[in-house]
Amino acid sequence: MCGPDSNFVEWHRDAQTQETDGFQVKRPGDKPVKCTINLQLDYQPQHFKLDPRLARLLGIHTATRPVIYSAFWEYIKKNKLQDPVLRDTIRCDVYLESIFSCKSFKFGEIPFKMQLFQAADPIVIEHIVLSSPGKLRVSSSGISWWKLMTT
C-alpha cells in the first residue's frame, strides 16, 4: 500500500504464492471510493499482444509465440511471399513493408522482425468500494469473484 490517501495497492505474486480464488481490499472510511483493478494474467505459456498493424494483418490480437509465428508463416505462404529462388528470403508485400520498413528479409530474421510483441493487456475492472461492510459487488465486466469490503 502506498500511503493512506493514495488509494493505490500493488501486489505481485511470487514463486511461493498459492493459487487463490479472490482477494479482499479493506479500507477505513465511510464514503464510497472508485477504484480500478488491473489484473495481469499469468499465462502459461506466456501470451503476447501484437502491434496493431500486424494484429489486423494476421487476425490475432494476443497469443503465444508459436501461434503468432504459425499465423505469420501461413500469411507468407498464402500470399506467396517466399522467394522462389532464394528460399530463405521473404519478399514483403505492401502491408509487411509498411510494418517492417523493408522490401525483403531472411527467414532467420523473423524473430527479430517480430519484436513488435508487447505484454498482453491486463483485465481492467472499474469498481466502487462501498462504505457498508460485506457488500458483494459484480463488476461491469461480469466477473463476480472479488469481495471488496470496508472496515
Side-chain angles (χ1 to χ4, degrees), residues 51-102:
D51 174 277
R53 300 167 299 167
L54 192 55
R56 277 191 302 276
L57 191 66
L58 302 180
I60 296 174
H61 179 266
T62 304
T64 63
R65 279 185 201 270
V67 169
I68 294 168
Y69 287 145
S70 177
F72 189 59
W73 182 240
E74 286 300 316
Y75 179 83
I76 290 167
K77 288 191 312 186
K78 178 183 172 189
N79 292 286
K80 298 178 176 40
L81 300 178
Q82 186 176 16
D83 190 292
V85 176
L86 302 171
R87 305 283 296 159
D88 68 335
T89 301
I90 308 301
R91 296 173 297 161
C92 293
D93 61 8
V94 81
Y95 304 111
L96 291 181
E97 190 173 333
S98 71
I99 294 169
F100 298 127
S101 302
C102 64

Side-chain angles (χ1 to χ4, degrees), residues 6 29 83 90 96 98 109-110 118 121 145 147:
S6 69
D83 190 292
I90 308 301
L96 291 181
S98 71
E109 295 176 36
I110 289 177
Q118 303 166 8
D121 288 335
W145 41 275
K147 187 174 184 183

Side-chain angles (χ1 to χ4, degrees), residues 103-148:
K103 298 264 186 210
S104 66
F105 57 90
K106 299 288 185 191
F107 186 79
E109 295 176 36
I110 289 177
F112 302 106
K113 295 292 184 189
M114 299 300 265
Q115 294 301 319
L116 301 173
F117 293 165
Q118 303 166 8
D121 288 335
I123 295 174
V124 178
I125 301 167
E126 299 295 332
H127 193 78
I128 297 176
V129 180
L130 299 177
S131 58
S132 53
K135 287 283 188 178
L136 181 63
R137 301 290 298 167
V138 178
S139 73
S140 60
S141 65
I143 300 172
S144 62
W145 41 275
W146 291 277
K147 187 174 184 183
L148 299 172

